[in-house]
mmCIF file of all heavy atoms in Angstrom:
data_model
loop_
_atom_site.group_PDB
_atom_site.id
_atom_site.type_symbol
_atom_site.label_atom_id
_atom_site.label_comp_id
_atom_site.label_asym_id
_atom_site.label_seq_id
_atom_site.Cartn_x
_atom_site.Cartn_y
_atom_site.Cartn_z
ATOM 1 N N PHE A 355 8.068 -17.806 -8.359
ATOM 2 C CA PHE A 355 9.405 -18.372 -8.464
ATOM 3 C C PHE A 355 10.479 -17.275 -8.424
ATOM 4 O O PHE A 355 11.516 -17.408 -7.770
ATOM 5 C CB PHE A 355 9.524 -19.185 -9.757
ATOM 6 C CG PHE A 355 10.906 -19.725 -10.018
ATOM 7 C CD1 PHE A 355 11.444 -20.719 -9.216
ATOM 8 C CD2 PHE A 355 11.666 -19.241 -11.068
ATOM 9 C CE1 PHE A 355 12.717 -21.216 -9.456
ATOM 10 C CE2 PHE A 355 12.937 -19.731 -11.315
ATOM 11 C CZ PHE A 355 13.468 -20.727 -10.502
ATOM 12 N N ASP A 356 10.215 -16.168 -9.133
ATOM 13 C CA ASP A 356 11.196 -15.079 -9.205
ATOM 14 C C ASP A 356 11.168 -14.157 -7.990
ATOM 15 O O ASP A 356 12.121 -13.423 -7.746
ATOM 16 C CB ASP A 356 10.951 -14.238 -10.458
ATOM 17 C CG ASP A 356 11.521 -14.885 -11.709
ATOM 18 O OD1 ASP A 356 12.262 -15.878 -11.575
ATOM 19 O OD2 ASP A 356 11.216 -14.407 -12.818
ATOM 20 N N LEU A 357 10.066 -14.188 -7.228
ATOM 21 C CA LEU A 357 9.885 -13.219 -6.150
ATOM 22 C C LEU A 357 11.003 -13.283 -5.110
ATOM 23 O O LEU A 357 11.566 -12.259 -4.729
ATOM 24 C CB LEU A 357 8.532 -13.428 -5.478
ATOM 25 C CG LEU A 357 8.204 -12.472 -4.311
ATOM 26 C CD1 LEU A 357 8.244 -11.026 -4.778
ATOM 27 C CD2 LEU A 357 6.854 -12.803 -3.714
ATOM 28 N N ARG A 358 11.329 -14.493 -4.663
ATOM 29 C CA ARG A 358 12.370 -14.612 -3.619
ATOM 30 C C ARG A 358 13.715 -14.090 -4.120
ATOM 31 O O ARG A 358 14.461 -13.448 -3.374
ATOM 32 C CB ARG A 358 12.491 -16.072 -3.184
ATOM 33 C CG ARG A 358 11.271 -16.606 -2.476
ATOM 34 C CD ARG A 358 11.519 -18.003 -1.935
ATOM 35 N NE ARG A 358 10.334 -18.562 -1.320
ATOM 36 C CZ ARG A 358 9.443 -19.282 -1.976
ATOM 37 N NH1 ARG A 358 9.611 -19.525 -3.264
ATOM 38 N NH2 ARG A 358 8.383 -19.768 -1.356
ATOM 39 N N GLU A 359 14.021 -14.368 -5.387
ATOM 40 C CA GLU A 359 15.283 -13.902 -5.946
ATOM 41 C C GLU A 359 15.320 -12.382 -6.016
ATOM 42 O O GLU A 359 16.338 -11.756 -5.714
ATOM 43 C CB GLU A 359 15.482 -14.498 -7.339
ATOM 44 C CG GLU A 359 16.817 -14.151 -7.993
ATOM 45 C CD GLU A 359 18.014 -14.749 -7.283
ATOM 46 O OE1 GLU A 359 17.830 -15.700 -6.487
ATOM 47 O OE2 GLU A 359 19.140 -14.269 -7.510
ATOM 48 N N ARG A 360 14.188 -11.780 -6.400
ATOM 49 C CA ARG A 360 14.136 -10.317 -6.460
ATOM 50 C C ARG A 360 14.298 -9.706 -5.070
ATOM 51 O O ARG A 360 14.925 -8.665 -4.900
ATOM 52 C CB ARG A 360 12.809 -9.864 -7.084
ATOM 53 C CG ARG A 360 12.738 -10.057 -8.587
ATOM 54 C CD ARG A 360 11.581 -9.274 -9.172
ATOM 55 N NE ARG A 360 10.302 -9.779 -8.710
ATOM 56 C CZ ARG A 360 9.601 -10.709 -9.360
ATOM 57 N NH1 ARG A 360 10.073 -11.234 -10.469
ATOM 58 N NH2 ARG A 360 8.437 -11.114 -8.901
ATOM 59 N N GLN A 361 13.720 -10.363 -4.074
ATOM 60 C CA GLN A 361 13.848 -9.855 -2.707
ATOM 61 C C GLN A 361 15.295 -9.897 -2.233
ATOM 62 O O GLN A 361 15.752 -9.005 -1.528
ATOM 63 C CB GLN A 361 12.952 -10.674 -1.775
ATOM 64 C CG GLN A 361 11.471 -10.410 -1.982
ATOM 65 C CD GLN A 361 10.600 -11.334 -1.147
ATOM 66 O OE1 GLN A 361 10.956 -12.476 -0.898
ATOM 67 N NE2 GLN A 361 9.443 -10.846 -0.735
ATOM 68 N N LYS A 362 16.026 -10.928 -2.634
ATOM 69 C CA LYS A 362 17.434 -11.033 -2.260
ATOM 70 C C LYS A 362 18.260 -9.912 -2.891
ATOM 71 O O LYS A 362 19.209 -9.409 -2.305
ATOM 72 C CB LYS A 362 17.995 -12.390 -2.690
ATOM 73 C CG LYS A 362 17.465 -13.573 -1.889
ATOM 74 C CD LYS A 362 18.068 -14.868 -2.411
ATOM 75 C CE LYS A 362 17.498 -16.065 -1.657
ATOM 76 N NZ LYS A 362 18.041 -17.351 -2.189
ATOM 77 N N ARG A 363 17.898 -9.575 -4.138
ATOM 78 C CA ARG A 363 18.666 -8.549 -4.845
ATOM 79 C C ARG A 363 18.327 -7.139 -4.390
ATOM 80 O O ARG A 363 19.054 -6.198 -4.685
ATOM 81 C CB ARG A 363 18.412 -8.654 -6.356
ATOM 82 C CG ARG A 363 18.945 -9.927 -6.986
ATOM 83 C CD ARG A 363 19.059 -9.753 -8.494
ATOM 84 N NE ARG A 363 17.788 -9.360 -9.095
ATOM 85 C CZ ARG A 363 16.953 -10.207 -9.670
ATOM 86 N NH1 ARG A 363 17.233 -11.502 -9.703
ATOM 87 N NH2 ARG A 363 15.825 -9.779 -10.213
ATOM 88 N N GLU A 364 17.191 -7.017 -3.700
ATOM 89 C CA GLU A 364 16.763 -5.694 -3.258
ATOM 90 C C GLU A 364 17.777 -5.133 -2.267
ATOM 91 O O GLU A 364 17.987 -5.677 -1.185
ATOM 92 C CB GLU A 364 15.384 -5.787 -2.609
ATOM 93 C CG GLU A 364 14.691 -4.455 -2.447
ATOM 94 C CD GLU A 364 14.223 -3.904 -3.783
ATOM 95 O OE1 GLU A 364 14.090 -4.672 -4.741
ATOM 96 O OE2 GLU A 364 13.991 -2.691 -3.843
ATOM 97 N N SER A 365 18.431 -4.062 -2.612
ATOM 98 C CA SER A 365 19.501 -3.537 -1.769
ATOM 99 C C SER A 365 18.987 -2.809 -0.533
ATOM 100 O O SER A 365 19.597 -2.858 0.527
ATOM 101 C CB SER A 365 20.392 -2.587 -2.584
ATOM 102 O OG SER A 365 19.620 -1.542 -3.123
ATOM 103 N N GLY A 366 17.877 -2.126 -0.663
ATOM 104 C CA GLY A 366 17.327 -1.392 0.475
ATOM 105 C C GLY A 366 15.932 -1.843 0.787
ATOM 106 O O GLY A 366 15.266 -2.459 -0.036
ATOM 107 N N LYS A 367 15.469 -1.548 1.968
ATOM 108 C CA LYS A 367 14.116 -1.929 2.355
ATOM 109 C C LYS A 367 13.111 -1.004 1.687
ATOM 110 O O LYS A 367 13.335 0.201 1.593
ATOM 111 C CB LYS A 367 13.944 -1.849 3.882
ATOM 112 C CG LYS A 367 14.772 -2.892 4.623
ATOM 113 C CD LYS A 367 14.499 -2.816 6.106
ATOM 114 C CE LYS A 367 15.288 -3.876 6.858
ATOM 115 N NZ LYS A 367 15.039 -3.800 8.308
ATOM 116 N N PRO A 368 11.978 -1.538 1.217
ATOM 117 C CA PRO A 368 10.942 -0.697 0.618
ATOM 118 C C PRO A 368 10.393 0.297 1.635
ATOM 119 O O PRO A 368 10.398 0.047 2.838
ATOM 120 C CB PRO A 368 9.855 -1.701 0.206
ATOM 121 C CG PRO A 368 10.552 -3.029 0.178
ATOM 122 C CD PRO A 368 11.631 -2.945 1.220
ATOM 123 N N ARG A 369 9.961 1.423 1.124
ATOM 124 C CA ARG A 369 9.407 2.454 1.997
ATOM 125 C C ARG A 369 8.174 1.931 2.709
ATOM 126 O O ARG A 369 7.269 1.375 2.105
ATOM 127 C CB ARG A 369 9.019 3.677 1.156
ATOM 128 C CG ARG A 369 8.359 4.788 1.949
ATOM 129 C CD ARG A 369 8.114 5.987 1.043
ATOM 130 N NE ARG A 369 7.301 5.624 -0.101
ATOM 131 C CZ ARG A 369 5.982 5.621 -0.089
ATOM 132 N NH1 ARG A 369 5.329 5.940 1.017
ATOM 133 N NH2 ARG A 369 5.295 5.295 -1.172
ATOM 134 N N ALA A 370 8.125 2.096 4.027
ATOM 135 C CA ALA A 370 6.974 1.640 4.809
ATOM 136 C C ALA A 370 5.768 2.506 4.479
ATOM 137 O O ALA A 370 5.860 3.729 4.395
ATOM 138 C CB ALA A 370 7.290 1.715 6.301
ATOM 139 N N LEU A 371 4.638 1.872 4.272
ATOM 140 C CA LEU A 371 3.401 2.581 3.978
ATOM 141 C C LEU A 371 2.553 2.691 5.240
ATOM 142 O O LEU A 371 2.756 1.961 6.206
ATOM 143 C CB LEU A 371 2.613 1.835 2.899
ATOM 144 C CG LEU A 371 3.371 1.554 1.595
ATOM 145 C CD1 LEU A 371 2.466 0.780 0.655
ATOM 146 C CD2 LEU A 371 3.813 2.849 0.939
ATOM 147 N N LYS A 372 1.597 3.571 5.206
ATOM 148 C CA LYS A 372 0.668 3.667 6.324
ATOM 149 C C LYS A 372 -0.166 2.410 6.395
ATOM 150 O O LYS A 372 -0.454 1.774 5.393
ATOM 151 C CB LYS A 372 -0.233 4.892 6.157
ATOM 152 C CG LYS A 372 0.499 6.220 6.316
ATOM 153 C CD LYS A 372 -0.472 7.361 6.199
ATOM 154 C CE LYS A 372 0.245 8.695 6.384
ATOM 155 N NZ LYS A 372 -0.699 9.830 6.274
ATOM 156 N N SER A 373 -0.573 2.059 7.581
ATOM 157 C CA SER A 373 -1.375 0.853 7.767
ATOM 158 C C SER A 373 -2.640 0.896 6.933
ATOM 159 O O SER A 373 -3.359 1.881 6.915
ATOM 160 C CB SER A 373 -1.739 0.712 9.250
ATOM 161 O OG SER A 373 -2.760 -0.223 9.423
ATOM 162 N N GLY A 374 -2.929 -0.214 6.222
ATOM 163 C CA GLY A 374 -4.139 -0.299 5.419
ATOM 164 C C GLY A 374 -5.382 -0.186 6.288
ATOM 165 O O GLY A 374 -6.381 0.402 5.893
ATOM 166 N N ALA A 375 -5.340 -0.743 7.498
ATOM 167 C CA ALA A 375 -6.491 -0.668 8.405
ATOM 168 C C ALA A 375 -6.775 0.778 8.786
ATOM 169 O O ALA A 375 -7.926 1.202 8.876
ATOM 170 C CB ALA A 375 -6.217 -1.506 9.648
ATOM 171 N N THR A 376 -5.701 1.559 9.012
ATOM 172 C CA THR A 376 -5.874 2.962 9.361
ATOM 173 C C THR A 376 -6.511 3.721 8.209
ATOM 174 O O THR A 376 -7.402 4.548 8.404
ATOM 175 C CB THR A 376 -4.511 3.593 9.706
ATOM 176 O OG1 THR A 376 -3.943 2.878 10.802
ATOM 177 C CG2 THR A 376 -4.678 5.062 10.076
ATOM 178 N N GLN A 377 -6.043 3.439 6.975
ATOM 179 C CA GLN A 377 -6.605 4.112 5.811
ATOM 180 C C GLN A 377 -8.087 3.806 5.670
ATOM 181 O O GLN A 377 -8.900 4.692 5.401
ATOM 182 C CB GLN A 377 -5.862 3.669 4.549
ATOM 183 C CG GLN A 377 -4.409 4.136 4.507
ATOM 184 C CD GLN A 377 -3.678 3.567 3.307
ATOM 185 O OE1 GLN A 377 -4.171 2.672 2.634
ATOM 186 N NE2 GLN A 377 -2.502 4.089 3.045
ATOM 187 N N LEU A 378 -8.466 2.543 5.859
ATOM 188 C CA LEU A 378 -9.865 2.158 5.716
ATOM 189 C C LEU A 378 -10.736 2.795 6.783
ATOM 190 O O LEU A 378 -11.858 3.229 6.534
ATOM 191 C CB LEU A 378 -10.004 0.640 5.768
ATOM 192 C CG LEU A 378 -9.508 -0.117 4.536
ATOM 193 C CD1 LEU A 378 -9.812 -1.598 4.694
ATOM 194 C CD2 LEU A 378 -10.144 0.409 3.276
ATOM 195 N N SER A 379 -10.239 2.836 8.011
ATOM 196 C CA SER A 379 -11.005 3.403 9.111
ATOM 197 C C SER A 379 -11.310 4.874 8.852
ATOM 198 O O SER A 379 -12.433 5.331 9.033
ATOM 199 C CB SER A 379 -10.225 3.245 10.420
ATOM 200 O OG SER A 379 -10.907 3.870 11.477
ATOM 201 N N LYS A 380 -10.295 5.614 8.387
ATOM 202 C CA LYS A 380 -10.497 7.029 8.112
ATOM 203 C C LYS A 380 -11.478 7.230 6.969
ATOM 204 O O LYS A 380 -12.322 8.119 7.010
ATOM 205 C CB LYS A 380 -9.153 7.690 7.781
ATOM 206 C CG LYS A 380 -8.219 7.807 8.976
ATOM 207 C CD LYS A 380 -6.927 8.500 8.585
ATOM 208 C CE LYS A 380 -5.993 8.652 9.786
ATOM 209 N NZ LYS A 380 -4.721 9.308 9.414
ATOM 210 N N ARG A 381 -11.349 6.400 5.950
ATOM 211 C CA ARG A 381 -12.222 6.555 4.786
ATOM 212 C C ARG A 381 -13.673 6.252 5.128
ATOM 213 O O ARG A 381 -14.597 6.910 4.651
ATOM 214 C CB ARG A 381 -11.743 5.651 3.640
ATOM 215 C CG ARG A 381 -12.631 5.730 2.411
ATOM 216 C CD ARG A 381 -11.958 5.151 1.206
ATOM 217 N NE ARG A 381 -10.811 5.939 0.860
ATOM 218 C CZ ARG A 381 -9.940 5.594 -0.072
ATOM 219 N NH1 ARG A 381 -10.095 4.472 -0.730
ATOM 220 N NH2 ARG A 381 -8.907 6.367 -0.357
ATOM 221 N N ALA A 382 -13.881 5.228 5.955
ATOM 222 C CA ALA A 382 -15.251 4.874 6.334
ATOM 223 C C ALA A 382 -15.920 6.028 7.069
ATOM 224 O O ALA A 382 -17.095 6.315 6.863
ATOM 225 C CB ALA A 382 -15.241 3.618 7.198
ATOM 226 N N LYS A 383 -15.184 6.728 7.918
ATOM 227 C CA LYS A 383 -15.736 7.838 8.674
ATOM 228 C C LYS A 383 -16.077 9.022 7.770
ATOM 229 O O LYS A 383 -16.999 9.776 8.032
ATOM 230 C CB LYS A 383 -14.732 8.287 9.752
ATOM 231 C CG LYS A 383 -14.538 7.257 10.859
ATOM 232 C CD LYS A 383 -13.504 7.730 11.867
ATOM 233 C CE LYS A 383 -13.289 6.705 12.970
ATOM 234 N NZ LYS A 383 -12.272 7.143 13.944
ATOM 235 N N ARG A 384 -15.315 9.182 6.686
ATOM 236 C CA ARG A 384 -15.566 10.311 5.790
ATOM 237 C C ARG A 384 -16.700 10.049 4.813
ATOM 238 O O ARG A 384 -17.082 10.932 4.058
ATOM 239 C CB ARG A 384 -14.295 10.652 5.015
ATOM 240 C CG ARG A 384 -13.213 11.288 5.871
ATOM 241 C CD ARG A 384 -12.167 11.922 4.982
ATOM 242 N NE ARG A 384 -11.505 10.941 4.136
ATOM 243 C CZ ARG A 384 -10.370 10.360 4.440
ATOM 244 N NH1 ARG A 384 -9.774 10.625 5.596
ATOM 245 N NH2 ARG A 384 -9.820 9.481 3.614
ATOM 246 N N GLY A 385 -17.182 8.810 4.805
ATOM 247 C CA GLY A 385 -18.310 8.540 3.924
ATOM 248 C C GLY A 385 -17.961 7.733 2.707
ATOM 249 O O GLY A 385 -18.806 7.501 1.851
ATOM 250 N N GLY A 386 -16.725 7.271 2.580
ATOM 251 C CA GLY A 386 -16.378 6.321 1.526
ATOM 252 C C GLY A 386 -16.258 6.907 0.151
ATOM 253 O O GLY A 386 -15.214 7.379 -0.244
ATOM 254 N N ARG A 387 -17.348 6.906 -0.584
ATOM 255 C CA ARG A 387 -17.292 7.201 -2.018
ATOM 256 C C ARG A 387 -16.818 8.622 -2.294
ATOM 257 O O ARG A 387 -16.009 8.856 -3.185
ATOM 258 C CB ARG A 387 -18.671 6.991 -2.635
ATOM 259 C CG ARG A 387 -18.676 7.091 -4.158
ATOM 260 C CD ARG A 387 -20.065 6.842 -4.721
ATOM 261 N NE ARG A 387 -20.447 5.449 -4.645
ATOM 262 C CZ ARG A 387 -21.389 4.963 -3.871
ATOM 263 N NH1 ARG A 387 -22.048 5.771 -3.051
ATOM 264 N NH2 ARG A 387 -21.691 3.678 -3.876
ATOM 265 N N ALA A 388 -17.325 9.616 -1.556
ATOM 266 C CA ALA A 388 -16.936 11.004 -1.790
ATOM 267 C C ALA A 388 -15.448 11.199 -1.533
ATOM 268 O O ALA A 388 -14.760 11.877 -2.281
ATOM 269 C CB ALA A 388 -17.752 11.932 -0.891
ATOM 270 N N ALA A 389 -14.954 10.575 -0.464
ATOM 271 C CA ALA A 389 -13.538 10.709 -0.135
ATOM 272 C C ALA A 389 -12.679 10.070 -1.209
ATOM 273 O O ALA A 389 -11.606 10.562 -1.538
ATOM 274 C CB ALA A 389 -13.256 10.058 1.228
ATOM 275 N N GLU A 390 -13.148 8.967 -1.742
ATOM 276 C CA GLU A 390 -12.397 8.275 -2.794
ATOM 277 C C GLU A 390 -12.208 9.178 -4.001
ATOM 278 O O GLU A 390 -11.129 9.273 -4.579
ATOM 279 C CB GLU A 390 -13.139 6.998 -3.195
ATOM 280 C CG GLU A 390 -12.533 6.239 -4.352
ATOM 281 C CD GLU A 390 -11.226 5.596 -4.000
ATOM 282 O OE1 GLU A 390 -10.948 5.412 -2.810
ATOM 283 O OE2 GLU A 390 -10.463 5.290 -4.930
ATOM 284 N N LYS A 391 -13.287 9.884 -4.417
ATOM 285 C CA LYS A 391 -13.199 10.736 -5.589
ATOM 286 C C LYS A 391 -12.241 11.891 -5.365
ATOM 287 O O LYS A 391 -11.519 12.310 -6.260
ATOM 288 C CB LYS A 391 -14.596 11.266 -5.931
ATOM 289 C CG LYS A 391 -15.540 10.168 -6.435
ATOM 290 C CD LYS A 391 -16.907 10.735 -6.764
ATOM 291 C CE LYS A 391 -17.834 9.640 -7.270
ATOM 292 N NZ LYS A 391 -19.202 10.171 -7.546
ATOM 293 N N LYS A 392 -12.240 12.437 -4.148
ATOM 294 C CA LYS A 392 -11.362 13.561 -3.857
ATOM 295 C C LYS A 392 -9.898 13.164 -3.884
ATOM 296 O O LYS A 392 -9.034 13.957 -4.221
ATOM 297 C CB LYS A 392 -11.700 14.147 -2.484
ATOM 298 C CG LYS A 392 -13.049 14.845 -2.436
ATOM 299 C CD LYS A 392 -13.306 15.380 -1.044
ATOM 300 C CE LYS A 392 -14.667 16.067 -0.966
ATOM 301 N NZ LYS A 392 -14.938 16.571 0.397
ATOM 302 N N GLN A 393 -9.598 11.904 -3.522
ATOM 303 C CA GLN A 393 -8.209 11.497 -3.387
ATOM 304 C C GLN A 393 -7.593 11.019 -4.694
ATOM 305 O O GLN A 393 -6.401 10.815 -4.787
ATOM 306 C CB GLN A 393 -8.093 10.373 -2.355
ATOM 307 C CG GLN A 393 -8.401 10.850 -0.954
ATOM 308 C CD GLN A 393 -8.268 9.744 0.050
ATOM 309 O OE1 GLN A 393 -7.876 8.633 -0.298
ATOM 310 N NE2 GLN A 393 -8.590 10.021 1.282
ATOM 311 N N VAL A 394 -8.419 10.804 -5.730
ATOM 312 C CA VAL A 394 -7.876 10.327 -6.996
ATOM 313 C C VAL A 394 -7.037 11.423 -7.636
ATOM 314 O O VAL A 394 -7.498 12.537 -7.835
ATOM 315 C CB VAL A 394 -9.006 9.909 -7.967
ATOM 316 C CG1 VAL A 394 -8.449 9.604 -9.344
ATOM 317 C CG2 VAL A 394 -9.720 8.686 -7.405
#
């Protein structure tokens, strides 16, 4: 209910993030679990 109102009040656009698909593709190639630990 509040989400639309908050979006209206948002003065600037949120910072664009890297594509989630791109992040997953890179992580899968690095082996998954090991890469996850390094990035924490």
Side-chain angles (χ1 to χ4, degrees):
F355 175 69
D356 280 350
L357 180 58
R358 294 186 183 91
E359 184 66 18
R360 285 195 295 268
Q361 289 174 327
K362 290 179 182 178
R363 293 198 304 262
E364 195 72 20
S365 57
K367 293 183 178 179
R369 177 176 57 87
L371 305 178
K372 291 183 179 180
S373 165
T376 301
Q377 293 175 348
L378 287 184
S379 176
K380 290 181 179 179
R381 178 164 295 173
K383 292 178 181 179
R384 289 195 298 265
R387 188 179 287 112
E390 175 70 20
K391 292 180 180 178
K392 291 179 181 179
Q393 292 181 4
V394 172

